[in-house]
mmCIF file of all heavy atoms in Angstrom:
data_model
loop_
_atom_site.group_PDB
_atom_site.id
_atom_site.type_symbol
_atom_site.label_atom_id
_atom_site.label_comp_id
_atom_site.label_asym_id
_atom_site.label_seq_id
_atom_site.Cartn_x
_atom_site.Cartn_y
_atom_site.Cartn_z
ATOM 1 N N VAL A 1458 0.818 -1.193 -0.004
ATOM 2 C CA VAL A 1458 -0.003 -0.015 0.006
ATOM 3 C C VAL A 1458 0.868 1.245 0.001
ATOM 4 O O VAL A 1458 0.615 2.205 -0.753
ATOM 5 C CB VAL A 1458 -0.963 -0.003 1.202
ATOM 6 C CG1 VAL A 1458 -1.627 1.361 1.367
ATOM 7 C CG2 VAL A 1458 -1.956 -1.140 1.086
ATOM 8 N N VAL A 1459 1.887 1.286 0.847
ATOM 9 C CA VAL A 1459 2.725 2.520 0.923
ATOM 10 C C VAL A 1459 3.547 2.683 -0.322
ATOM 11 O O VAL A 1459 3.780 3.829 -0.764
ATOM 12 C CB VAL A 1459 3.633 2.442 2.157
ATOM 13 C CG1 VAL A 1459 4.730 1.472 2.049
ATOM 14 C CG2 VAL A 1459 4.173 3.853 2.470
ATOM 15 N N ILE A 1460 3.995 1.632 -0.967
ATOM 16 C CA ILE A 1460 4.813 1.776 -2.187
ATOM 17 C C ILE A 1460 3.964 2.322 -3.314
ATOM 18 O O ILE A 1460 4.372 3.136 -4.098
ATOM 19 C CB ILE A 1460 5.446 0.436 -2.545
ATOM 20 C CG1 ILE A 1460 6.571 0.063 -1.529
ATOM 21 C CG2 ILE A 1460 6.005 0.465 -3.962
ATOM 22 C CD1 ILE A 1460 7.143 -1.331 -1.752
ATOM 23 N N ILE A 1461 2.711 1.848 -3.382
ATOM 24 C CA ILE A 1461 1.772 2.386 -4.415
ATOM 25 C C ILE A 1461 1.533 3.861 -4.114
ATOM 26 O O ILE A 1461 1.411 4.706 -4.993
ATOM 27 C CB ILE A 1461 0.461 1.608 -4.469
ATOM 28 C CG1 ILE A 1461 0.732 0.150 -4.916
ATOM 29 C CG2 ILE A 1461 -0.545 2.250 -5.421
ATOM 30 C CD1 ILE A 1461 -0.479 -0.715 -4.887
ATOM 31 N N GLY A 1462 1.379 4.136 -2.801
ATOM 32 C CA GLY A 1462 1.143 5.558 -2.409
ATOM 33 C C GLY A 1462 2.302 6.483 -2.800
ATOM 34 O O GLY A 1462 2.091 7.622 -3.210
ATOM 35 N N THR A 1463 3.513 5.987 -2.662
ATOM 36 C CA THR A 1463 4.654 6.793 -3.056
ATOM 37 C C THR A 1463 4.701 7.106 -4.563
ATOM 38 O O THR A 1463 5.239 8.088 -4.986
ATOM 39 C CB THR A 1463 5.979 6.129 -2.637
ATOM 40 O OG1 THR A 1463 6.112 4.841 -3.228
ATOM 41 C CG2 THR A 1463 6.066 6.037 -1.138
ATOM 42 N N PHE A 1464 4.111 6.178 -5.326
ATOM 43 C CA PHE A 1464 4.042 6.434 -6.792
ATOM 44 C C PHE A 1464 3.190 7.665 -7.036
ATOM 45 O O PHE A 1464 3.545 8.508 -7.846
ATOM 46 C CB PHE A 1464 3.476 5.193 -7.471
ATOM 47 C CG PHE A 1464 3.201 5.458 -8.959
ATOM 48 C CD1 PHE A 1464 4.271 5.517 -9.871
ATOM 49 C CD2 PHE A 1464 1.930 5.579 -9.413
ATOM 50 C CE1 PHE A 1464 3.991 5.719 -11.224
ATOM 51 C CE2 PHE A 1464 1.642 5.823 -10.791
ATOM 52 C CZ PHE A 1464 2.718 5.852 -11.684
ATOM 53 N N PHE A 1465 2.033 7.704 -6.381
ATOM 54 C CA PHE A 1465 1.189 8.905 -6.564
ATOM 55 C C PHE A 1465 1.841 10.150 -5.995
ATOM 56 O O PHE A 1465 1.741 11.256 -6.551
ATOM 57 C CB PHE A 1465 -0.195 8.702 -5.884
ATOM 58 C CG PHE A 1465 -1.077 7.706 -6.607
ATOM 59 C CD1 PHE A 1465 -1.212 6.447 -6.180
ATOM 60 C CD2 PHE A 1465 -1.744 8.176 -7.799
ATOM 61 C CE1 PHE A 1465 -2.100 5.570 -6.918
ATOM 62 C CE2 PHE A 1465 -2.596 7.311 -8.477
ATOM 63 C CZ PHE A 1465 -2.711 5.994 -8.048
ATOM 64 N N PHE A 1466 2.553 9.969 -4.871
ATOM 65 C CA PHE A 1466 3.290 11.161 -4.336
ATOM 66 C C PHE A 1466 4.349 11.650 -5.313
ATOM 67 O O PHE A 1466 4.558 12.887 -5.379
ATOM 68 C CB PHE A 1466 3.968 10.739 -3.022
ATOM 69 C CG PHE A 1466 3.139 11.025 -1.816
ATOM 70 C CD1 PHE A 1466 3.162 10.157 -0.735
ATOM 71 C CD2 PHE A 1466 2.361 12.149 -1.698
ATOM 72 C CE1 PHE A 1466 2.439 10.354 0.394
ATOM 73 C CE2 PHE A 1466 1.598 12.401 -0.600
ATOM 74 C CZ PHE A 1466 1.610 11.523 0.485
ATOM 75 N N SER A 1467 4.983 10.717 -6.000
ATOM 76 C CA SER A 1467 6.077 11.164 -6.971
ATOM 77 C C SER A 1467 5.428 12.009 -8.107
ATOM 78 O O SER A 1467 6.039 12.988 -8.512
ATOM 79 C CB SER A 1467 6.747 9.940 -7.533
ATOM 80 O OG SER A 1467 5.864 9.150 -8.373
ATOM 81 N N ILE A 1468 4.207 11.624 -8.537
ATOM 82 C CA ILE A 1468 3.559 12.413 -9.553
ATOM 83 C C ILE A 1468 3.266 13.833 -9.013
ATOM 84 O O ILE A 1468 3.520 14.816 -9.688
ATOM 85 C CB ILE A 1468 2.270 11.763 -9.999
ATOM 86 C CG1 ILE A 1468 2.529 10.380 -10.641
ATOM 87 C CG2 ILE A 1468 1.451 12.651 -10.963
ATOM 88 C CD1 ILE A 1468 1.277 9.618 -11.018
ATOM 89 N N SER A 1469 2.759 13.874 -7.821
ATOM 90 C CA SER A 1469 2.455 15.149 -7.205
ATOM 91 C C SER A 1469 3.694 15.976 -6.949
ATOM 92 O O SER A 1469 3.736 17.196 -7.236
ATOM 93 C CB SER A 1469 1.695 14.924 -5.902
ATOM 94 O OG SER A 1469 1.445 16.127 -5.200
ATOM 95 N N ASN A 1470 4.745 15.378 -6.462
ATOM 96 C CA ASN A 1470 5.965 16.112 -6.154
ATOM 97 C C ASN A 1470 6.652 16.654 -7.358
ATOM 98 O O ASN A 1470 7.111 17.751 -7.326
ATOM 99 C CB ASN A 1470 6.911 15.193 -5.339
ATOM 100 C CG ASN A 1470 6.432 14.865 -3.953
ATOM 101 O OD1 ASN A 1470 5.522 15.531 -3.465
ATOM 102 N ND2 ASN A 1470 7.003 13.864 -3.337
ATOM 103 N N VAL A 1471 6.748 15.821 -8.402
ATOM 104 C CA VAL A 1471 7.421 16.281 -9.668
ATOM 105 C C VAL A 1471 6.657 17.480 -10.252
ATOM 106 O O VAL A 1471 7.173 18.520 -10.596
ATOM 107 C CB VAL A 1471 7.485 15.170 -10.686
ATOM 108 C CG1 VAL A 1471 7.918 15.707 -12.032
ATOM 109 C CG2 VAL A 1471 8.514 14.109 -10.179
ATOM 110 N N GLY A 1472 5.296 17.341 -10.275
ATOM 111 C CA GLY A 1472 4.488 18.456 -10.817
ATOM 112 C C GLY A 1472 4.538 19.674 -9.960
ATOM 113 O O GLY A 1472 4.677 20.820 -10.476
ATOM 114 N N GLU A 1473 4.531 19.530 -8.662
ATOM 115 C CA GLU A 1473 4.571 20.700 -7.756
ATOM 116 C C GLU A 1473 5.935 21.396 -7.866
ATOM 117 O O GLU A 1473 6.008 22.622 -7.868
ATOM 118 C CB GLU A 1473 4.335 20.253 -6.264
ATOM 119 C CG GLU A 1473 4.320 21.435 -5.326
ATOM 120 C CD GLU A 1473 4.016 21.015 -3.926
ATOM 121 O OE1 GLU A 1473 3.842 19.799 -3.700
ATOM 122 O OE2 GLU A 1473 4.050 21.884 -3.008
ATOM 123 N N GLU A 1474 7.023 20.607 -7.915
ATOM 124 C CA GLU A 1474 8.315 21.236 -7.971
ATOM 125 C C GLU A 1474 8.495 22.052 -9.256
ATOM 126 O O GLU A 1474 9.020 23.194 -9.247
ATOM 127 C CB GLU A 1474 9.475 20.195 -7.894
ATOM 128 C CG GLU A 1474 10.853 20.803 -7.980
ATOM 129 C CD GLU A 1474 11.923 19.745 -7.846
ATOM 130 O OE1 GLU A 1474 11.614 18.586 -7.485
ATOM 131 O OE2 GLU A 1474 13.055 20.075 -8.053
ATOM 132 N N PHE A 1475 8.071 21.518 -10.408
ATOM 133 C CA PHE A 1475 8.132 22.263 -11.679
ATOM 134 C C PHE A 1475 7.294 23.536 -11.619
ATOM 135 O O PHE A 1475 7.697 24.593 -12.060
ATOM 136 C CB PHE A 1475 7.650 21.380 -12.795
ATOM 137 C CG PHE A 1475 8.674 20.368 -13.223
ATOM 138 C CD1 PHE A 1475 8.287 19.191 -13.856
ATOM 139 C CD2 PHE A 1475 10.022 20.552 -13.013
ATOM 140 C CE1 PHE A 1475 9.224 18.212 -14.256
ATOM 141 C CE2 PHE A 1475 10.969 19.650 -13.408
ATOM 142 C CZ PHE A 1475 10.554 18.456 -14.029
ATOM 143 N N CYS A 1476 6.086 23.456 -11.001
ATOM 144 C CA CYS A 1476 5.214 24.553 -10.956
ATOM 145 C C CYS A 1476 5.746 25.661 -10.076
ATOM 146 O O CYS A 1476 5.648 26.860 -10.410
ATOM 147 C CB CYS A 1476 3.831 24.142 -10.460
ATOM 148 S SG CYS A 1476 2.885 23.181 -11.738
ATOM 149 N N VAL A 1477 6.186 25.364 -8.853
ATOM 150 C CA VAL A 1477 6.665 26.363 -7.928
ATOM 151 C C VAL A 1477 7.933 27.107 -8.409
ATOM 152 O O VAL A 1477 8.162 28.275 -8.060
ATOM 153 C CB VAL A 1477 6.880 25.864 -6.463
ATOM 154 C CG1 VAL A 1477 5.568 25.295 -5.934
ATOM 155 C CG2 VAL A 1477 7.992 24.785 -6.485
ATOM 156 N N LYS A 1478 8.718 26.427 -9.176
ATOM 157 C CA LYS A 1478 9.926 27.025 -9.699
ATOM 158 C C LYS A 1478 9.696 27.948 -10.907
ATOM 159 O O LYS A 1478 10.408 28.881 -11.131
ATOM 160 C CB LYS A 1478 10.964 25.928 -10.133
ATOM 161 C CG LYS A 1478 11.640 25.272 -8.900
ATOM 162 C CD LYS A 1478 12.714 24.332 -9.391
ATOM 163 C CE LYS A 1478 13.466 23.761 -8.159
ATOM 164 N NZ LYS A 1478 14.577 22.880 -8.602
ATOM 165 N N LYS A 1479 8.600 27.656 -11.611
ATOM 166 C CA LYS A 1479 8.340 28.469 -12.832
ATOM 167 C C LYS A 1479 7.096 29.367 -12.672
ATOM 168 O O LYS A 1479 6.975 30.321 -13.356
ATOM 169 C CB LYS A 1479 8.068 27.508 -13.967
ATOM 170 C CG LYS A 1479 9.270 26.673 -14.407
ATOM 171 C CD LYS A 1479 10.421 27.526 -14.924
ATOM 172 C CE LYS A 1479 11.597 26.633 -15.347
ATOM 173 N NZ LYS A 1479 12.696 27.449 -15.880
ATOM 174 N N LYS A 1480 6.212 29.024 -11.725
ATOM 175 C CA LYS A 1480 4.963 29.777 -11.568
ATOM 176 C C LYS A 1480 4.869 30.309 -10.135
ATOM 177 O O LYS A 1480 5.860 30.550 -9.485
ATOM 178 C CB LYS A 1480 3.805 28.930 -11.977
ATOM 179 C CG LYS A 1480 3.848 28.352 -13.375
ATOM 180 C CD LYS A 1480 3.931 29.461 -14.418
ATOM 181 C CE LYS A 1480 4.024 28.807 -15.842
ATOM 182 N NZ LYS A 1480 4.141 29.827 -16.872
ATOM 183 N N ASP A 1481 3.623 30.464 -9.660
ATOM 184 C CA ASP A 1481 3.334 31.073 -8.367
ATOM 185 C C ASP A 1481 3.104 30.015 -7.312
ATOM 186 O O ASP A 1481 2.232 29.196 -7.493
ATOM 187 C CB ASP A 1481 2.148 32.004 -8.525
ATOM 188 C CG ASP A 1481 1.842 32.718 -7.215
ATOM 189 O OD1 ASP A 1481 2.753 33.072 -6.494
ATOM 190 O OD2 ASP A 1481 0.634 32.919 -6.936
ATOM 191 N N SER A 1482 3.853 30.088 -6.152
ATOM 192 C CA SER A 1482 3.664 29.123 -5.119
ATOM 193 C C SER A 1482 2.308 29.169 -4.464
ATOM 194 O O SER A 1482 1.719 28.108 -4.171
ATOM 195 C CB SER A 1482 4.774 29.320 -4.034
ATOM 196 O OG SER A 1482 6.034 29.215 -4.596
ATOM 197 N N VAL A 1483 1.775 30.344 -4.248
ATOM 198 C CA VAL A 1483 0.472 30.465 -3.640
ATOM 199 C C VAL A 1483 -0.591 29.828 -4.506
ATOM 200 O O VAL A 1483 -1.528 29.144 -4.048
ATOM 201 C CB VAL A 1483 0.121 31.952 -3.383
ATOM 202 C CG1 VAL A 1483 -1.321 32.088 -2.914
ATOM 203 C CG2 VAL A 1483 1.073 32.557 -2.337
ATOM 204 N N GLU A 1484 -0.497 30.027 -5.800
ATOM 205 C CA GLU A 1484 -1.439 29.419 -6.750
ATOM 206 C C GLU A 1484 -1.334 27.868 -6.706
ATOM 207 O O GLU A 1484 -2.387 27.195 -6.626
ATOM 208 C CB GLU A 1484 -1.177 29.914 -8.187
ATOM 209 C CG GLU A 1484 -2.085 29.242 -9.208
ATOM 210 C CD GLU A 1484 -1.780 29.720 -10.612
ATOM 211 O OE1 GLU A 1484 -1.901 30.981 -10.840
ATOM 212 O OE2 GLU A 1484 -1.461 28.934 -11.495
ATOM 213 N N VAL A 1485 -0.135 27.373 -6.699
ATOM 214 C CA VAL A 1485 0.028 25.922 -6.672
ATOM 215 C C VAL A 1485 -0.585 25.292 -5.417
ATOM 216 O O VAL A 1485 -1.326 24.334 -5.483
ATOM 217 C CB VAL A 1485 1.552 25.570 -6.772
ATOM 218 C CG1 VAL A 1485 1.734 24.045 -6.577
ATOM 219 C CG2 VAL A 1485 2.109 26.029 -8.067
ATOM 220 N N VAL A 1486 -0.266 25.871 -4.209
ATOM 221 C CA VAL A 1486 -0.744 25.319 -2.948
ATOM 222 C C VAL A 1486 -2.285 25.442 -2.868
ATOM 223 O O VAL A 1486 -2.990 24.544 -2.416
ATOM 224 C CB VAL A 1486 -0.072 25.994 -1.749
ATOM 225 C CG1 VAL A 1486 -0.695 25.494 -0.434
ATOM 226 C CG2 VAL A 1486 1.400 25.777 -1.790
ATOM 227 N N SER A 1487 -2.806 26.595 -3.311
ATOM 228 C CA SER A 1487 -4.247 26.810 -3.176
ATOM 229 C C SER A 1487 -5.001 25.848 -4.164
ATOM 230 O O SER A 1487 -6.077 25.317 -3.760
ATOM 231 C CB SER A 1487 -4.619 28.254 -3.545
ATOM 232 O OG SER A 1487 -4.288 28.560 -4.895
ATOM 233 N N MET A 1488 -4.487 25.592 -5.314
ATOM 234 C CA MET A 1488 -5.151 24.704 -6.245
ATOM 235 C C MET A 1488 -5.053 23.225 -5.811
ATOM 236 O O MET A 1488 -5.984 22.491 -6.002
ATOM 237 C CB MET A 1488 -4.545 24.884 -7.678
ATOM 238 C CG MET A 1488 -4.868 26.188 -8.319
ATOM 239 S SD MET A 1488 -6.727 26.370 -8.606
ATOM 240 C CE MET A 1488 -7.115 27.498 -7.255
ATOM 241 N N ILE A 1489 -3.898 22.868 -5.230
ATOM 242 C CA ILE A 1489 -3.835 21.498 -4.684
ATOM 243 C C ILE A 1489 -4.834 21.354 -3.521
ATOM 244 O O ILE A 1489 -5.500 20.302 -3.407
ATOM 245 C CB ILE A 1489 -2.419 21.230 -4.182
ATOM 246 C CG1 ILE A 1489 -1.437 21.076 -5.325
ATOM 247 C CG2 ILE A 1489 -2.357 19.938 -3.315
ATOM 248 C CD1 ILE A 1489 0.021 20.850 -4.935
ATOM 249 N N GLY A 1490 -4.984 22.382 -2.736
ATOM 250 C CA GLY A 1490 -5.951 22.339 -1.616
ATOM 251 C C GLY A 1490 -7.396 22.224 -2.210
ATOM 252 O O GLY A 1490 -8.215 21.447 -1.711
ATOM 253 N N LEU A 1491 -7.706 23.033 -3.185
ATOM 254 C CA LEU A 1491 -9.055 23.064 -3.799
ATOM 255 C C LEU A 1491 -9.461 21.716 -4.374
ATOM 256 O O LEU A 1491 -10.529 21.164 -4.088
ATOM 257 C CB LEU A 1491 -9.180 24.194 -4.849
ATOM 258 C CG LEU A 1491 -10.484 24.210 -5.613
ATOM 259 C CD1 LEU A 1491 -11.643 24.468 -4.693
ATOM 260 C CD2 LEU A 1491 -10.414 25.291 -6.724
ATOM 261 N N PHE A 1492 -8.567 21.195 -5.245
ATOM 262 C CA PHE A 1492 -8.879 19.932 -5.913
ATOM 263 C C PHE A 1492 -8.769 18.759 -4.941
ATOM 264 O O PHE A 1492 -9.428 17.747 -5.098
ATOM 265 C CB PHE A 1492 -8.005 19.739 -7.119
ATOM 266 C CG PHE A 1492 -8.400 20.606 -8.314
ATOM 267 C CD1 PHE A 1492 -7.697 21.727 -8.663
ATOM 268 C CD2 PHE A 1492 -9.537 20.283 -9.040
ATOM 269 C CE1 PHE A 1492 -8.083 22.536 -9.710
ATOM 270 C CE2 PHE A 1492 -9.910 21.065 -10.121
ATOM 271 C CZ PHE A 1492 -9.153 22.235 -10.421
ATOM 272 N N GLY A 1493 -7.921 18.939 -3.907
ATOM 273 C CA GLY A 1493 -7.884 17.895 -2.845
ATOM 274 C C GLY A 1493 -9.225 17.818 -2.098
ATOM 275 O O GLY A 1493 -9.696 16.690 -1.791
ATOM 276 N N VAL A 1494 -9.827 18.967 -1.819
ATOM 277 C CA VAL A 1494 -11.130 18.974 -1.208
ATOM 278 C C VAL A 1494 -12.160 18.281 -2.064
ATOM 279 O O VAL A 1494 -12.987 17.454 -1.654
ATOM 280 C CB VAL A 1494 -11.571 20.421 -0.869
ATOM 281 C CG1 VAL A 1494 -13.036 20.471 -0.423
ATOM 282 C CG2 VAL A 1494 -10.717 20.967 0.252
ATOM 283 N N LEU A 1495 -12.207 18.659 -3.356
ATOM 284 C CA LEU A 1495 -13.187 18.071 -4.247
ATOM 285 C C LEU A 1495 -13.014 16.561 -4.404
ATOM 286 O O LEU A 1495 -14.074 15.856 -4.388
ATOM 287 C CB LEU A 1495 -13.008 18.762 -5.646
ATOM 288 C CG LEU A 1495 -13.340 20.266 -5.682
ATOM 289 C CD1 LEU A 1495 -13.099 20.801 -7.114
ATOM 290 C CD2 LEU A 1495 -14.796 20.530 -5.267
ATOM 291 N N VAL A 1496 -11.817 16.078 -4.548
ATOM 292 C CA VAL A 1496 -11.576 14.658 -4.722
ATOM 293 C C VAL A 1496 -11.983 13.895 -3.434
ATOM 294 O O VAL A 1496 -12.640 12.837 -3.499
ATOM 295 C CB VAL A 1496 -10.103 14.337 -5.041
ATOM 296 C CG1 VAL A 1496 -9.853 12.882 -5.088
ATOM 297 C CG2 VAL A 1496 -9.788 14.933 -6.473
ATOM 298 N N THR A 1497 -11.559 14.429 -2.279
ATOM 299 C CA THR A 1497 -11.926 13.700 -1.045
ATOM 300 C C THR A 1497 -13.442 13.746 -0.772
ATOM 301 O O THR A 1497 -13.996 12.760 -0.227
ATOM 302 C CB THR A 1497 -11.214 14.346 0.163
ATOM 303 O OG1 THR A 1497 -11.436 15.774 0.192
ATOM 304 C CG2 THR A 1497 -9.712 14.100 0.098
ATOM 305 N N MET A 1498 -14.122 14.806 -1.176
ATOM 306 C CA MET A 1498 -15.585 14.873 -0.999
ATOM 307 C C MET A 1498 -16.243 13.808 -1.862
ATOM 308 O O MET A 1498 -17.342 13.280 -1.479
ATOM 309 C CB MET A 1498 -16.095 16.275 -1.357
ATOM 310 C CG MET A 1498 -15.746 17.336 -0.330
ATOM 311 S SD MET A 1498 -16.407 18.952 -0.835
ATOM 312 C CE MET A 1498 -18.161 18.637 -0.799
ATOM 313 N N ILE A 1499 -15.706 13.474 -2.974
ATOM 314 C CA ILE A 1499 -16.240 12.453 -3.860
ATOM 315 C C ILE A 1499 -15.960 11.036 -3.315
ATOM 316 O O ILE A 1499 -16.811 10.147 -3.309
ATOM 317 C CB ILE A 1499 -15.722 12.603 -5.322
ATOM 318 C CG1 ILE A 1499 -16.218 13.922 -5.902
ATOM 319 C CG2 ILE A 1499 -16.141 11.427 -6.160
ATOM 320 C CD1 ILE A 1499 -15.609 14.236 -7.233
ATOM 321 N N GLU A 1500 -14.723 10.854 -2.827
ATOM 322 C CA GLU A 1500 -14.298 9.489 -2.424
ATOM 323 C C GLU A 1500 -14.725 9.100 -1.054
ATOM 324 O O GLU A 1500 -14.930 7.861 -0.774
ATOM 325 C CB GLU A 1500 -12.737 9.433 -2.494
ATOM 326 C CG GLU A 1500 -12.208 9.525 -3.929
ATOM 327 C CD GLU A 1500 -10.753 9.269 -4.018
ATOM 328 O OE1 GLU A 1500 -10.083 9.207 -2.942
ATOM 329 O OE2 GLU A 1500 -10.183 9.163 -5.161
ATOM 330 N N ILE A 1501 -14.896 10.063 -0.100
ATOM 331 C CA ILE A 1501 -15.257 9.690 1.269
ATOM 332 C C ILE A 1501 -16.570 8.961 1.347
ATOM 333 O O ILE A 1501 -16.667 7.930 2.012
ATOM 334 C CB ILE A 1501 -15.273 10.940 2.172
ATOM 335 C CG1 ILE A 1501 -13.872 11.427 2.456
ATOM 336 C CG2 ILE A 1501 -15.999 10.704 3.459
ATOM 337 C CD1 ILE A 1501 -13.745 12.702 3.265
ATOM 338 N N PRO A 1502 -17.623 9.432 0.672
ATOM 339 C CA PRO A 1502 -18.896 8.661 0.735
ATOM 340 C C PRO A 1502 -18.826 7.288 0.146
ATOM 341 O O PRO A 1502 -19.551 6.361 0.519
ATOM 342 C CB PRO A 1502 -19.906 9.549 -0.085
ATOM 343 C CG PRO A 1502 -19.276 10.891 -0.047
ATOM 344 C CD PRO A 1502 -17.820 10.671 -0.038
#
């Protein structure tokens, strides 16, 4: 379970690193939070 989880983390980490170095950090964190809320609201039920 944790090894599969790290695969998804790697996708998130690579994308976040590229975005914060080239774009706006506040935008990156806020959008991860927003879509994180939406995804968890769908999956929790």
Side-chain angles (χ1 to χ4, degrees):
V1458 170
V1459 72
I1460 289 174
I1461 296 175
T1463 58
F1464 173 73
F1465 286 103
F1466 268 143
S1467 66
I1468 296 176
S1469 176
N1470 290 345
V1471 169
E1473 183 179 358
E1474 181 177 351
F1475 284 153
C1476 288
V1477 298
K1478 284 186 175 180
K1479 296 296 182 179
K1480 304 298 179 182
D1481 181 36
S1482 298
V1483 173
E1484 177 180 301
V1485 174
V1486 177
S1487 64
M1488 290 297 102
I1489 290 178
L1491 174 61
F1492 285 104
V1494 169
L1495 295 177
V1496 173
T1497 52
M1498 287 179 64
I1499 295 173
E1500 293 187 351
I1501 286 176

